[in-house]
Amino acid sequence: MPAGLLAETFKVGLYESPPLVFNKSSTLPGIYKEIFIEISKITSDTFEFDYGSAEQVITRFNQGKIDIEPGINPVWRHSEAVPGLYSIPFSQSSSIMVNLKPAPSKAKKSVSKSPEKAKPLKTGLVKGYQYPNLASYFKDKTWVPVLASNELKLLALLNQKRIDQAVIDRFVMDFFLRSKKNSKSADQYLLSKPLETQDVMLRVHPSKASAIPRFNDAIKKLIESGTCVLNPFDSA
């Protein structure tokens, strides 16, 4: 049956995370929106974009107001009221820890002090994101979470020294640094090795399960053509 005869309209939930997703008023589409544009060319489906915070998108998905959340691994949503169904992977997501470089130290006379217990590190996280590999640090109070609605706001908190460190998507941080490449601020960060790397997929509401096979076929074609890069960090 021709793809056009199966075509539907889907609501896609997006939250700002450039270059994956730019804000609603931006003229730049962002990587995820471009992927849906390419899928639409293959399946003839229509995708309407609904913007909000990560937390808002998760809530709307659970309520059935959003059909698709892109760039998700099942482990991040397994405890939700509606865990969702998933396409095949179309890329990978890698999280890193970002710190400010310490200021040059000034020589001081050493003063004998009794050892102090290390204070928990204020660690910036995106509200609504899940970080299962880091849970032990929060459980033993080595880190304390400080939440913000997106990664750009976490970086602002870090720059203001209101947090000690922030967990940021590697794509987002790389894009941020490229945008600041002619600025002194680009050289003020310390970036960790990846904390975790996960396959990411389209999270699809169970009410739209019948569309997953054609999404998978389209994703396979996009991977074969190089539009989707299954391991984007191989050439990073």
Side-chain angles (χ1 to χ4, degrees):
M1 185 180 293
L5 297 180
L6 298 172
E8 300 175 72
T9 297
F10 298 93
K11 287 257 187 187
V12 178
L14 298 177
Y15 34 88
E16 187 177 6
S17 189
L20 303 172
V21 179
F22 291 95
N23 66 42
K24 187 176 182 179
S25 60
S26 176
T27 57
L28 298 170
I31 292 170
Y32 287 167
K33 204 168 181 180
E34 287 178 339
I35 287 172
F36 283 108
I37 291 169
E38 295 303 317
I39 290 175
S40 180
K41 292 176 184 178
I42 296 169
T43 66
S44 299
D45 290 309
T46 299
F47 298 101
E48 298 177 349
F49 301 101
D50 188 349
Y51 290 80
S53 66
E55 189 177 36
Q56 288 170 334
V57 167
I58 292 167
T59 299
R60 291 171 196 165
F61 186 97
N62 289 339
Q63 294 170 341
K65 296 177 181 178
I66 281 174
D67 303 312
I68 303 172
E69 183 187 9
I72 301 300
N73 186 282
V75 74
W76 301 336
R77 298 289 183 265
H78 69 89
S79 61
E80 291 298 327
V82 182
L85 305 173
Y86 290 84
S87 72
I88 61 173
F90 65 84
S91 191
Q92 289 186 324
S93 173
S94 188
S95 296
I96 60 173
M97 188 68 77
V98 180
N99 300 77
L100 291 177
K101 289 181 179 177
S105 59
K106 295 179 180 179
K108 289 184 179 180
K109 290 182 180 180
S110 100
V111 178
S112 176
K113 288 185 180 180
S114 56
E116 295 180 5
K117 185 179 179 181
K119 291 181 180 180
L121 295 175
K122 294 178 183 177
T123 303
L125 307 174
V126 176
K127 194 172 186 179
Y129 283 22
Q130 298 295 320
Y131 306 88
N133 288 4
L134 308 180
S136 62
Y137 294 99
F138 297 105
K139 188 175 181 180
D140 68 11
K141 305 293 174 60
T142 302
W143 300 345
V144 292
V146 177
L147 303 178
S149 59
N150 62 54
E151 285 143 321
L152 296 181
K153 290 184 178 179
L154 289 180
L155 288 170
L157 290 176
L158 186 63
N159 292 338
Q160 295 161 11
K161 300 184 179 178
R162 293 169 61 188
I163 58 176
D164 299 304
Q165 56 187 8
V167 181
I168 306 288
D169 182 273
R170 182 173 165 184
F171 260 146
V172 175
M173 194 64 202
D174 285 352
F175 180 82
F176 178 82
L177 292 176
R178 286 199 303 273
S179 71
K180 305 285 185 183
K181 65 181 179 180
N182 295 322
S183 165
K184 290 182 180 179
S185 64
D187 193 42
Q188 66 179 331
Y189 301 102
L190 291 173
L191 311 184
S192 75
K193 293 181 179 180
L195 303 172
E196 64 171 6
T197 299
Q198 300 277 9
D199 289 338
V200 293
M201 310 153 197
L202 303 181
R203 179 184 177 220
V204 180
H205 198 276
S207 63
K208 302 296 184 180
S210 62
I212 292 177
R214 68 177 182 272
F215 290 164
N216 287 344
D217 288 343
I219 290 169
K220 287 176 185 174
K221 290 178 181 177
L222 295 178
I223 290 170
E224 289 169 2
S225 70
T227 304
C228 288
V229 182
L230 201 52
N231 185 353
F233 306 113
D234 276 348
S235 56

